[in-house]
Structures are given as structure tokens and as C-alpha cells.
Amino acid sequence: MKFRPFLVFLSFAAAALAADKPAAPATHSPWGDFVEKDFPFFSSVLDCRELGEGFPKDNLTPRGIILNLGNNLWACFDTDLLRIACIWEGEPGKPPVTPDALAPGSYHVAGQKTKDGQEYLPKPIGKVWLANGIYPGWQVGDTPSLTDPREPTPSKEEVGRGPLDSKVGQFLRVEKTKEGLTLVYEVFGVSVRELLSSKPRVNQHNPPLLIRQITVGPRSFELKYITSYDGGEQERWVKSLSPEKLKEYQRQLGMEDETGMTNGSLSSRSGSDDQPRTVTIKPGVRPEIIEMFCLSPKSPWVMGKSSKKEAFFEETEIHTLWTQTITTTATLSTKSDAYVIDDIPRPLDNPWKRNVRLADIAFLNDQGDAAGVTFDGDVWLISGLKGDLEKVTWKRFASGLHEPMSIVARPRTLNNKTTKPDAKNSTFNVQSSLLNVDLFVFDRNGIWKLVDTNNDKECDRYEMFCNLFAQTAETREFPNSMKLGPKGELFISKGGQEGTTYGKHNGTVIKIAADGKSMEVIGYGLRQPFIGVNPKTGLVTASDQQGNYVPSTPLHIISDHHFYGHLPTIAPKEKYPETITEPLTWMPHPVNPSGVTQTWLLDAKMGPLNDELIHIGYNRPELFRVLMNTHFEKPQAAVVSFNRNFDFPTLNAVVNPADGQLYVVGFQVWGTVVKKISGLARVRYTDKPRVLLKEVTPTDKGLLLRFNEKLDTKLATDPDSFNGERWNYKRTFEYGSPHLKLDGSSGQEWMTASSAYLSKDGMSVLVGFPDMKAGMHQMRIGWGLKSADGDKAENTAYFSPWELMTFDAKKEGFDENLKVDLTPRKAAAVATVKATAVEGERLYQMYGCMACHSTDGTLVGKVGPSWKGLYGSEREIAKGEKGKFKADEAYLKESITNPSAKVVKGFEKFDTGMPIYSGILNDGQIESLILYIKSLK
């Protein structure tokens, strides 16, 4: 008998809904709701562990796709266990889940944080209809199992164990079809397509009708689909009904027509009432469509079978949600520097009132077309990123992703040749670009491949490319970064802070095979790693964040499943699983308080920066040049500040093949000294000269410095043009580390150069330092030079001299008869020059003052007071000679020559220590620094 469509149903008393609650007043914001009402899904953790009597107690979904079923009904599908974790009816005027995750919580209130651990997680808002516990949604056998078959993490209670074994089940994709949003997956090798929706009831006082349509492929065995778990509550209520009321109830459900003939069946239990409700699907040689209907909370599903022609759902064409485009125009820098920053506005004035917090971009071709991903789960197509950036066009492409921060465009290959666009073909655009690349986004659910099947410039198929790695609900297990390798493989890094349980892959760097079917952990023991990958050699680097077990900011080379030193705070203190691999180099935390990704300037048109590695700072937006040194068996590198003129937090950067320039993106969500929420900028090379350090090599005779230009001989051979420091860190359970001298006491050791020698080509300097030592954690070298043409060369480099090279004068390009003078000397022999603010600014750079003191009023990431507005202000002293003092010239001079005499309140607890410059700086230099401070009003 044909399965009768249900258009009118009656609810029953046991499932009556609570009265609607008034909506809470919304906080004023220029943006629309985080969860858009017209989009079919979004992604979220969902905490259903405290739903109340009759519901599972362990129901937590780390990887959840929240489906918008219409009529304010919502369903959470667990992509790991292939189960419906929860279905609920929302409250009018409220979001479907509590905004306890980082993206929705900070969407309207920039900078709002989440607590670590798994105690404060998103929960459903409204009346829960049904739920399931932590067990697979599809099973075989007579009795369903309520246990989790996946390999446990070190914490057995942790539910974030990753996906099921592919033989048991595998999530494949979400796709927009003519029928609606469809979940596609496999169970025991059988294909399944699942579609959930709802319809309003004729009687508006009744809840909407919940509808599920499941298409099951051919199968040679019986399958059990678990629909819900309620602990037997519904059966107890049904058993209490009289025969007359039971018959009426069955008629209301549509199980019988007016003649008493059965035309449907209820989902049933296997065994006792504490078993979940199931639907049994018999073997069949053809696909079978099963339709199920639910009238109200905790009621059983009414089910039936139909052919394709009898499908309940009306067929409609796939429609494009976002037809509009937005155009912005860049503001080009007019500065005369060698490298300038062009600002590219985001499409903030858009029809959807959508916040655009750009996290990363990927270029699709060499015509200026790109795709950008936002932290709020959107992907935009961008064109016009070339030339004068006069017309940059934005088009929404995808949405619903879970806090992504990275996107990769991987060229497709045909016959081992990469398909490239014809630059002369004027019809080539973003759409044709998408035909030549695979677009990947890494979020908490895994790595998605975004596909546009009908060429409308909008994603309609979200393919799960790889989710083999586990993901917990831990708020700090961020999907930090993803980069493309030279053979099409993908590398990802995951947040490592664990406040509640141990996960499987927290704090790791993982290599994903080019086909997405296998993975390999290549590094672990990282707190919050952000990576870079050399696209030609495959070298993987990673920064990390200072914290417990991480004494300062490191830059690592990641390989061979090495352990990099971080342990979660819940672990036994300082019990390391194996030998710690030291970083490529340390960076002082005040210099780089929050390191993020790295990018290689290969195939760039950036002048002397070409082929270099760039490291990005987040807290204080900054680009650092990483000078790799291959003279040693153990790799070393020096880090030099390159550009700190960004007005937004910088997170990712990539070379644009259209113009060879560096495009930088980022958004504000963690601590940062800038106020702009997000940004996109181009770092443009103007062909003007800039003197750059190209190499720092520690030797037994001092430091070998190589530059890209010939140097002024007088300054280059004056040892007082250079100054240095060195210190160690101590890795412990405590947060960070003090700076420690060689004898273990707090502070840094000042290093005074004994001599300086210029190479024959005039582009290298050997700075003679006595008592060089290998194995120091940190050294700093500062220089105040000029090129032979008079261009300034003032900066500071930081590095870790793990080994020392034996200096060979002839081999390194110096006079072969050179005898390096390493006689210790005092630094006070500098000739007094006229004091000026310009000279003070030079000294500020050369002596590394900028590491601890800002000149713009910011204090975040600094261990000393800002110099802006310092002169003439009243200072409250907390250590030393306590009291209140005016910051006049005498005060400033004392602070330089004897910094511990008066330590300003708020800075007395910092233990990095400031060097004593008495006997190091002469009176003219001190006066120049004071004049510079006075100029910073």
C-alpha cells in the first residue's frame, strides 16, 4: 500500500512544548547573525551531556554539522560516528546554540575569548526532540552496541577519538541537491544519502513535522540504523494508555487509516527499554528509500518505503544564494621606502551584513584571482589582485565551516602537466580558475575540498578530503595552519593546549598524503604550532607560543616524529616522553610575543628578499626575515625584523604569481596591540635600495655578518658600530622563562666587540668577540652602519649559536693574513658626537631597545614601559627607590645607566632584566636617546 503523506497531525499531551520565551535584546553590532537563517548548515562542537532525564549523559560532539531543517528545527550530525547526535526546536529570536565557541563568541565582540578545556562549550538552545549517545549511528547485528569502537585516546573518557574505521563507516560529503542539503557517507561499504527537513503543521499550535529521507545502496546483509535513545520513556508512556487511547494514538501517527489497515511502522527497540530506537534495513539488490516522520519530542519515528517517483520531497533546481559581488579599491602607499604596504579593503559593506575576518588567501592562477577564507567559516572568491588594485571584486563562494584559518589551492595536473590559463584569453576569470585547482580548507571537522559542480561560482559540494586525525572538543585545539607540499601533499598543525583530557593529535604537525587517504605525524609536543613549507624542498618549519614548557618563542624544523618539548598542564610535571629537539633558533618573547606562520618568497619579485623565508608575528604585527645557515651539521638561523607597519594582526602571507609581491592577511581574536579587526595588504617592492643583512654565522673568532650591499668602510671597521648580548632560557612547567646568564643568575651578558674587519668585496664584516661559546640559547647582535652609498643599515638579529664555525679568513673572502684581535675592551671608547634625536633612533634600533620598549604606547608583549609620552610624565615606582617621580632628563639618564634604581609599577615582576648601560654608552649617546624619547609625544 502506498505510504500516505502526512499533512495534518495531532500532537499528544506527553510531548507538549514549553511556552515560547522572549528573545534577549541583541548587542548592537553592524553585522547580522553569526548563524545565517538562509544557509542550510554551520559547523560546531555541540555539548549535549546535560539534556536531562531520558537522554544520554555522554553526548558530546567535537565534529558536528548543524543542519538547518527549517521551521526553527535543527539537527547535529556527528561526522566521526555517523550519528544524529541531537535534534531540537530552537527558541524564537535566539541562536540555535549558545555562543560559547571562539568564532561566534567574538563575531560581534572582537577579542572575546573562550576558556580552555571542555567545560564551557556550545549547547543547544530550545526543546530537544531526540538524541543519541557516543556510539555509531549505523551497526550490524541483532543488538545495537552502546559502546565506542574507536581506539581510545590516553584519556579513555575523551570522545574526540577521530573517525570510525573506514570499513565500518566513512563520511564523504555534504552536497546541495535538487532535493535539499544531503549528507553522503558509507557504512560497511554501503552508500547512504541522508536528507533531513521539516514542514509546518496545519495547526500552528503543534510543532513542525520532522522528516528524514534515507537512500541506502545495494547491500547483502541487514543494517540497523539507530534513530534515538530515550531510556524507554516513550514506551512507558504508551504502555500506560488504554486500548482505545492507544488506537487513537496510532491513528494520529498515521500507522492506521480509517479502516484499520496498517500503512506504516514505528522505529523499534532491540531488547530492553534501555536500548536505542532502531530501524532495520533488510538486504536488497537495489537502492532503497526510507522515509521517516517525527511529530514531537521523544516520539517514535513513523517510517515507510517509497520509490524515487513516490519520494516525499519536491524536486527544485539548485539556486545560487549569493549572486551579488562587491568591489573595493586599494589605497596605494605613497611612501618612498624600498618596501611599502598597500591596503586592500575587505567587502564589509555587503548585502548579508557579514563580518569578514580574513584568515588566509590562496591564489588560483597568475592573473590575480584568489580565494580567501574567514575565521567565521566563509570562503570568498577575489579577483583583481594585481596592478594598481583599483578594482578588487569579491564574491561569496562557501560557508558553514568550523573556525578555519587556512586555505590551499592545489593545481590539478593533466598528463603530468599543470593546466595554466592563457594570459591573453580575456574570458579567463575566477570561475575558469576553479577548473584548474582543487580548493582545500582546514577546519575542526578536517580538510574539506570545495567543489562547484554547476559553474555558478558557488560551492555546492563540500567533500571531506581527510579527517583521519582526531579532534577533541578542547577549545584550544585550533586548526592552526595548512600548507601545500611539493608533491601535492598537505601539512597541517593543530593546537596543543589540553586543559581537561588528553587527545590523540593535539599539538602535532601532520603530513597528509596527496590523495588524502593516509597521514603521518611528523612532529609532536607543540603548544600552538603554526607552520611553513618550502614548496620546492618540502622543508617544514613551525613556530610555537611561549607558555608552560615553552620558555620563549621558538622556530623549529619539523621532521621524523621528533618531540619539541611541550607537555599539557594536566600531565605529570616535566616527565618528557623522549629527548627534546631544540629549535632552529629561539626568539626573545618581547621581540616576537606570538609567532605564527612562515612563507617562502620563491618565484617572487621582491628584490633582495627573493627566495628567503619570512616569519610572521601576530601579537605585534610584524614580518621577520629568517636567515637560514647551512654551515653546520645542526641547522641554525638568525631572525631579523623586516616590517612592523601593519595596522591589523598578521597571520598568513603568500606570494602572488600575478605580480610577485607578498600579500598578507590576518584577523583579531587573540591578544594583539592593534585595533583593526582584520586586513588584507600587499607588501610591494619599489626597486629602491635597502641594505639588508643576509647571513649571521657564529665563529670561534666572533660573528660573520654578510650584507647585500657594499658598506661604509669607516663604520664597518669600527667595533663600536656593533653590540651584542647573550643569555639562556630554562624550560620548566612554569610559564615562560627568565633570561639567565651563563652562571645561572638572572639577566643578560653584555658582549663588547674587540674588533671589526671588512671583507675584500666590502659586503661582509667579521665582528671579533672574545670568549664565544657554542650552545647558548640566545644571542643578539645589533649594528649601526651605512652602505658605501650612504643608505642606512641599522637593525638587530637574534639567533641561537648551537655550534661555532672555525673562521678561515681566506675562505670567507678576507685578507688571508688577517689576525683577529680578540683583546677584551670596554665599550666606552666611542667618540662623542653631536647629540640628536635621529642618532637616538639609530641607537634604539642598534641596541635592541625596541624589543622591550614600544614607541607607539603599546605595552602588550613588552617588558618595559613605552617611550611614547614618557618624558614629563609622572611615574609610580614599585621597586628600588619607591614613590612618585617626574620623568625628566635626570630620571631618564638614571634609568639608562642604572635601570634597577627605579622600576615602574607594573614592570617589577618581569625577570628578563635590562642591561646596565653605564660605561657602555657615552654621554652623547645617552643624550641622543633622551632627545629621541622627548620627541615621542
Side-chain angles (χ1 to χ4, degrees):
M1 189 172 189
K2 184 178 179 180
F3 191 56
R4 178 163 56 90
F6 300 102
L7 300 178
V8 181
F9 288 97
L10 299 175
S11 62
F12 45 91
L17 292 176
D20 292 343
K21 297 180 181 179
T27 303
H28 174 72
S29 168
W31 315 119
D33 294 337
F34 178 83
V35 178
E36 296 179 288
K37 294 182 176 61
D38 62 348
F39 194 72
F41 76 95
F42 68 98
S43 301
S44 178
V45 167
L46 194 68
D47 186 356
C48 297
R49 293 175 291 187
E50 299 177 358
L51 297 181
E53 187 64 30
F55 291 111
K57 304 297 183 183
D58 60 349
N59 188 5
L60 175 61
T61 307
R63 286 173 165 165
I65 296 178
I66 312 297
L67 304 170
N68 184 350
L69 309 185
N71 301 293
N72 210 12
L73 277 179
W74 304 85
C76 175
F77 182 77
D78 183 336
T79 59
D80 279 342
L81 286 169
L82 306 180
R83 67 185 179 113
I84 294 293
C86 182
I87 296 179
W88 70 100
E89 185 174 4
E91 293 187 16
K94 292 186 178 181
V97 300
T98 58
D100 292 317
L102 189 56
S106 62
Y107 185 74
H108 296 288
V109 184
Q112 183 166 308
K113 306 296 191 300
T114 54
K115 295 183 178 180
D116 61 356
Q118 300 186 33
E119 297 178 5
Y120 301 94
L121 299 173
K123 299 177 176 61
I125 297 176
K127 179 71 173 181
V128 174
W129 283 39
L130 58 88
N132 278 297
I134 304 300
Y135 41 77
W138 291 78
Q139 300 186 23
V140 292
D142 295 332
T143 303
S145 170
L146 301 186
T147 60
D148 187 346
R150 299 170 297 174
E151 180 185 353
T153 74
S155 297
K156 292 184 179 180
E157 69 275 20
E158 173 56 58
V159 302
R161 300 179 178 184
L164 294 166
D165 186 287
S166 60
K167 295 179 181 179
V168 176
Q170 184 177 12
F171 177 70
L172 298 178
R173 61 185 176 272
V174 176
E175 58 182 45
K176 290 165 56 180
T177 67
K178 293 180 180 180
E179 297 173 333
L181 190 74
T182 303
L183 302 168
V184 183
Y185 50 93
E186 290 182 353
V187 291
F188 303 99
V190 178
S191 64
V192 178
R193 297 175 64 86
E194 182 169 3
L195 178 65
L196 292 92
S197 63
S198 71
K199 280 187 173 292
R201 306 279 287 281
V202 173
N203 185 343
Q204 295 182 359
H205 295 288
N206 290 332
L209 175 67
L210 176 60
I211 309 165
R212 295 172 80 172
Q213 183 189 67
I214 301 176
T215 302
V216 184
R219 62 257 167 233
S220 59
F221 48 87
E222 189 174 275
L223 285 170
K224 274 192 167 50
Y225 178 51
I226 301 180
T227 63
S228 61
Y229 177 91
D230 63 12
E233 182 175 323
Q234 185 61 30
E235 275 78 0
R236 289 191 289 272
W237 181 81
V238 170
K239 288 177 181 178
S240 69
L241 298 177
S242 64
E244 293 78 13
K245 289 186 177 180
L246 176 61
K247 191 171 184 178
E248 176 62 24
Y249 169 60
Q250 291 172 333
R251 183 175 293 113
Q252 290 175 358
L253 291 180
M255 292 176 63
E256 293 183 358
D257 61 20
E258 290 75 7
T259 65
M261 295 295 293
T262 300
N263 62 8
S265 61
L266 289 172
S267 56
S268 61
R269 299 190 195 279
S270 300
S272 61
D273 289 349
D274 62 355
Q275 289 293 314
R277 294 183 177 280
T278 63
V279 172
T280 300
I281 301 165
K282 300 295 184 179
V285 295
R286 291 187 299 273
E288 181 177 348
I289 297 177
I290 299 170
E291 291 177 344
M292 297 188 290
F293 306 85
C294 187
L295 292 125
S296 55
K298 292 189 178 180
S299 70
W301 289 92
V302 180
M303 58 174 290
K305 302 177 183 179
S306 68
S307 67
K308 279 286 185 182
K309 293 182 180 179
E310 297 171 332
F312 182 84
F313 303 94
E314 298 179 0
E315 291 195 354
T316 57
E317 294 295 329
I318 302 174
H319 68 283
T320 303
L321 286 174
W322 310 300
T323 57
Q324 302 95 325
T325 60
I326 299 96
T327 299
T328 63
T329 300
T331 301
L332 302 185
S333 174
T334 58
K335 293 184 177 181
S336 59
D337 301 334
Y339 296 90
V340 297
I341 298 175
D342 300 325
D343 179 66
I344 306 169
R346 294 162 291 139
L348 299 181
D349 186 12
N350 60 72
W352 314 280
K353 294 184 177 180
R354 194 66 174 162
N355 199 348
V356 185
R357 298 191 287 178
L358 274 180
D360 194 12
I361 62 169
F363 286 97
L364 309 178
N365 54 31
D366 59 4
Q367 302 298 301
D369 299 323
V373 67
T374 75
F375 187 60
D376 305 302
D378 299 324
V379 175
W380 292 75
L381 299 180
I382 314 168
S383 62
L385 295 177
K386 59 182 178 179
D388 59 7
L389 305 172
E390 185 178 4
K391 187 178 179 181
V392 179
T393 303
W394 304 72
K395 164 99 175 49
R396 286 189 73 178
F397 178 71
S399 191
L401 305 174
H402 195 179
E403 298 184 346
M405 290 188 282
S406 49
I407 186 168
V408 163
R410 186 175 71 181
R412 295 177 186 169
T413 55
L414 298 174
N415 298 323
N416 296 322
K417 294 183 179 180
T418 301
T419 304
K420 290 187 177 182
D422 182 358
K424 297 180 180 180
N425 184 357
S426 60
T427 63
F428 187 86
N429 54 27
V430 173
Q431 181 54 42
S432 57
S433 300
L434 291 172
L435 299 177
N436 296 294
V437 299
D438 289 325
L439 202 58
F440 299 99
V441 173
F442 174 37
D443 76 351
R444 288 178 181 261
N445 290 316
I447 300 175
W448 295 95
K449 179 181 175 182
L450 307 182
V451 181
D452 174 12
T453 62
N454 63 351
N455 298 329
D456 65 350
K457 299 182 183 180
E458 190 169 301
C459 178
D460 45 49
R461 195 166 72 198
Y462 297 73
E463 297 180 1
M464 181 51 66
F465 179 74
C466 183
N467 66 347
L468 296 174
F469 42 90
Q471 174 71 41
T472 72
E474 166 63 59
T475 61
R476 305 301 173 90
E477 192 181 354
F478 299 113
N480 283 342
S481 55
M482 175 174 64
K483 301 293 182 181
L484 179 64
K487 298 180 180 179
E489 70 274 44
L490 296 169
F491 295 87
I492 63 172
S493 65
K494 293 167 60 65
Q497 291 171 265
E498 298 165 283
T500 306
T501 61
Y502 297 101
K504 289 182 179 179
H505 298 122
N506 303 60
T508 60
V509 175
I510 300 173
K511 177 183 177 181
I512 308 295
D515 61 4
K517 295 181 180 179
S518 62
M519 55 158 275
E520 174 191 1
V521 176
I522 62 171
Y524 73 108
L526 296 152
R527 188 171 182 266
Q528 286 294 342
F530 287 84
I531 63 172
V533 177
N534 187 305
K536 293 184 178 179
T537 68
L539 178 73
V540 181
T541 55
S543 67
D544 206 354
Q545 308 285 309
Q546 184 200 53
N548 304 90
Y549 298 104
V550 187
S552 194
T553 304
L555 184 61
H556 297 286
I557 289 179
I558 305 295
S559 66
D560 302 319
H561 198 265
H562 286 176
F563 173 67
Y564 294 92
H566 176 256
L567 297 174
T569 54
I570 58 175
K573 290 186 179 181
E574 300 176 27
K575 300 295 183 182
Y576 302 108
E578 60 176 290
T579 301
I580 298 170
T581 299
E582 291 292 349
L584 181 68
T585 184
W586 290 102
M587 292 170 275
H589 184 255
V591 173
N592 182 208
S594 183
V596 283
T597 62
Q598 304 86 51
T599 190
W600 288 87
L601 302 185
L602 303 184
D603 300 320
K605 298 177 182 177
M606 299 290 287
L609 294 186
N610 288 347
D611 298 327
E612 287 192 351
L613 177 62
I614 297 294
H615 168 68
I616 302 175
Y618 178 87
N619 172 280
R620 184 172 60 253
E622 191 166 0
L623 300 184
F624 296 88
R625 298 169 56 235
V626 181
L627 310 180
M628 303 293 287
N629 195 318
T630 58
H631 286 289
F632 306 98
E633 181 178 349
K634 180 177 181 179
Q636 299 185 26
V639 178
V640 186
S641 176
F642 170 66
N643 196 312
R644 59 172 73 100
N645 296 322
F646 297 93
D647 61 356
F648 63 89
T650 49
L651 181 65
N652 280 292
V654 61
V655 174
N656 182 354
D659 57 17
Q661 306 302 290
L662 185 66
Y663 286 67
V664 184
V665 300
F667 68 98
Q668 180 187 139
V669 69
W670 302 288
T672 177
V673 301
V674 291
K675 295 182 179 180
K676 190 174 178 180
I677 300 300
S678 180
L680 169 61
R682 175 175 68 180
V683 180
R684 173 166 49 92
Y685 178 50
T686 66
D687 288 327
K688 293 183 179 179
R690 179 166 172 178
V691 186
L692 297 174
L693 178 72
K694 299 294 287 184
E695 178 188 321
V696 178
T697 299
T699 79
D700 57 344
K701 298 293 192 295
L703 297 177
L704 177 60
L705 310 180
R706 297 194 188 276
F707 293 83
N708 67 319
E709 299 281 350
K710 290 187 176 183
L711 301 173
D712 177 272
T713 302
K714 182 178 180 181
L715 288 173
T717 55
D718 182 353
D720 289 309
S721 295
F722 308 90
N723 62 80
E725 292 175 278
R726 63 184 176 189
W727 63 93
N728 283 320
Y729 302 112
K730 187 176 182 180
R731 188 191 300 271
T732 69
F733 170 81
E734 300 300 327
Y735 198 101
S737 168
H739 291 188
L740 301 171
K741 297 180 181 179
L742 271 67
D743 61 7
S745 61
S746 295
Q748 301 92 246
E749 289 190 357
W750 186 263
M751 300 179 69
T752 300
S754 294
S755 55
Y757 305 93
L758 190 63
S759 63
K760 291 180 179 180
D761 64 4
M763 299 173 66
S764 301
V765 179
L766 177 71
V767 184
F769 283 109
D771 195 28
M772 287 287 293
K773 292 187 181 297
M776 295 294 300
H777 290 157
Q778 196 76 79
M779 281 190 70
R780 179 190 69 81
I781 177 67
W783 59 94
L785 303 171
K786 290 183 180 180
S787 72
D789 294 330
D791 296 316
K792 286 184 178 180
E794 302 165 356
N795 212 326
T796 298
Y798 299 90
F799 56 99
S800 299
W802 302 119
E803 300 176 41
L804 301 179
M805 181 183 77
T806 301
F807 179 71
D808 184 324
K810 182 179 180 180
K811 182 180 177 181
E812 303 304 332
F814 292 79
D815 186 331
E816 62 180 310
N817 297 316
L818 175 64
K819 302 295 183 183
V820 181
D821 183 3
L822 296 179
T823 305
R825 58 184 288 276
K826 293 184 178 181
V830 182
T832 302
V833 297
K834 182 180 179 181
T836 65
V838 173
E839 174 66 10
E841 183 178 11
R842 185 183 79 89
L843 296 170
Y844 171 79
Q845 295 285 346
M846 174 181 165
Y847 279 83
C849 307
M850 74 287 195
C852 302
H853 303 279
S854 76
T855 58
D856 60 3
T858 57
L859 296 176
V860 179
K862 299 295 187 180
V863 296
S866 176
W867 285 4
K868 183 177 182 180
L870 173 57
Y871 179 75
S873 65
E874 186 177 80
R875 317 300 288 173
E876 184 175 354
I877 305 305
K879 185 178 180 182
E881 188 179 350
K882 296 182 180 180
K884 293 184 178 180
F885 296 84
K886 184 178 181 180
D888 54 17
E889 292 187 6
Y891 170 90
L892 294 176
K893 183 174 182 178
E894 182 184 42
S895 296
I896 294 170
T897 57
N898 186 16
S900 62
K902 295 183 179 71
V903 180
V904 175
K905 185 178 181 180
F907 297 93
E908 70 275 11
K909 295 181 180 180
F910 289 111
D911 49 16
T912 54
M914 175 175 167
I916 297 173
Y917 288 95
S918 178
I920 294 174
L921 299 175
N922 63 30
D923 290 342
Q925 291 174 316
I926 293 172
E927 187 177 350
S928 291
L929 284 170
I930 293 173
L931 288 172
Y932 179 53
I933 293 172
K934 291 170 71 173
S935 72
L936 300 170
K937 299 178 181 179

